[in-house]
Amino acid sequence: MNQVTIPEALFLGLVQGFTEWLPISSSGHLVIFESLLGIEVPADFNIVIMVGTIAALILYFRKKILQLVSGMVALDRTTLTYVGLIVLSGIPTGIIGFAGKEFFMGLFSQPFVVSILLIVSGIFLYIAQRAENQGKVVDAKSALWIGVAQGCAIAPGISRSGTTIGTALLLGIKPRDAAEFSFLIGIPAMTIAAVLTWLEEPASGSGVAPLLVAIVAAFIAGYASIGLFMKWLQEKKLYYFSMYCVVAGSIFATLFYLGY
């Protein structure tokens, strides 16, 4: 396997960053584009460059994060409960992630299957966006279900943001609250995944320079995509993302089936 070049790393970083927070599966797009363009990278490369999008998320939600930290220091009951729900959601995510690690990693080399999973993501998102907004808030039960959804979304092609937000919407949670909780639980889950992967393969077999370029590109594109998604979510445009996933997944699946 050849080392990833700087231009390839830049492209992959931009794809990762822009698609991470949109409900269209960043890992799925990376697998598909890498296959179509003949770019060979280790599966763990796609995981490590999430550092850029994590940093973008922390920057975007810095006020909310500081508010949570301040509330924890002050032992504010509401804040402690909310942080507890974030931790609770990580339990099923961790169990699914560790138990299915080999299976999920294997999917990174199966672009046809990933394309099918992208279609599944689109169908799920279409169903979820039609759910009635009951104005509910996240509680222990919903946190666990959202955590399960996040665990399943480790599979490339299954959108993490789309699956977690969609699950929250099906549970009657308000759209903005659903998105905020989805993004916040992503910080510890994605950070742990990136750190563990880095410890296993320090340079991801791709070279430090390309890795850094990809991370910076993912940070810039990721920060831009968060704002766009929050705006589109409020305007109830999830329908467009679901249609994109179904159409794009169908096109990609056809191309791979035909041998491209």
Side-chain angles (χ1 to χ4, degrees), residues 59-209:
L59 180 62
Y60 187 88
F61 283 105
R62 60 191 181 279
K63 292 183 179 179
K64 177 66 176 181
I65 294 173
L66 288 174
Q67 181 184 29
L68 291 175
V69 172
S70 298
M72 289 176 64
V73 172
L75 299 179
D76 176 69
R77 191 168 187 173
T78 300
T79 301
L80 292 174
T81 299
Y82 191 80
V83 173
L85 292 173
I86 292 176
V87 174
L88 182 63
S89 71
I91 295 176
T93 298
I95 293 174
I96 294 172
F98 282 109
K101 180 180 178 181
E102 295 301 320
F103 171 74
F104 292 130
M105 293 298 284
L107 291 176
F108 280 85
S109 60
Q110 302 183 52
F112 176 76
V113 176
V114 171
S115 300
I116 298 299
L117 292 178
L118 191 61
I119 297 174
V120 173
S121 282
I123 294 173
F124 176 78
L125 197 60
Y126 176 78
I127 295 172
Q129 60 92 35
R130 294 174 62 87
E132 181 182 353
N133 178 9
Q134 301 175 33
K136 293 183 178 180
V137 297
V138 179
D139 57 15
K141 180 180 178 180
S142 57
L144 284 171
W145 277 114
I146 294 171
V148 169
Q150 181 169 245
C152 295
I154 296 174
I158 300 296
S159 168
R160 195 204 68 84
S161 61
T163 304
T164 52
I165 293 173
T167 298
L169 293 177
L170 288 173
L171 293 170
I173 297 171
K174 292 180 290 187
R176 183 171 183 82
D177 289 348
E180 190 173 83
F181 188 75
S182 165
F183 289 150
L184 290 175
I185 66 172
I187 295 176
M190 295 168 65
T191 299
I192 292 172
V195 169
L196 290 178
T197 301
W198 175 264
L199 292 175
E200 291 177 2
E201 298 288 342
S204 194
S206 308
V208 176

Side-chain angles (χ1 to χ4, degrees), residues 202-219:
S204 194
S206 308
V208 176
L211 200 59
L212 291 176
V213 168
I215 288 173
V216 172
F219 169 77

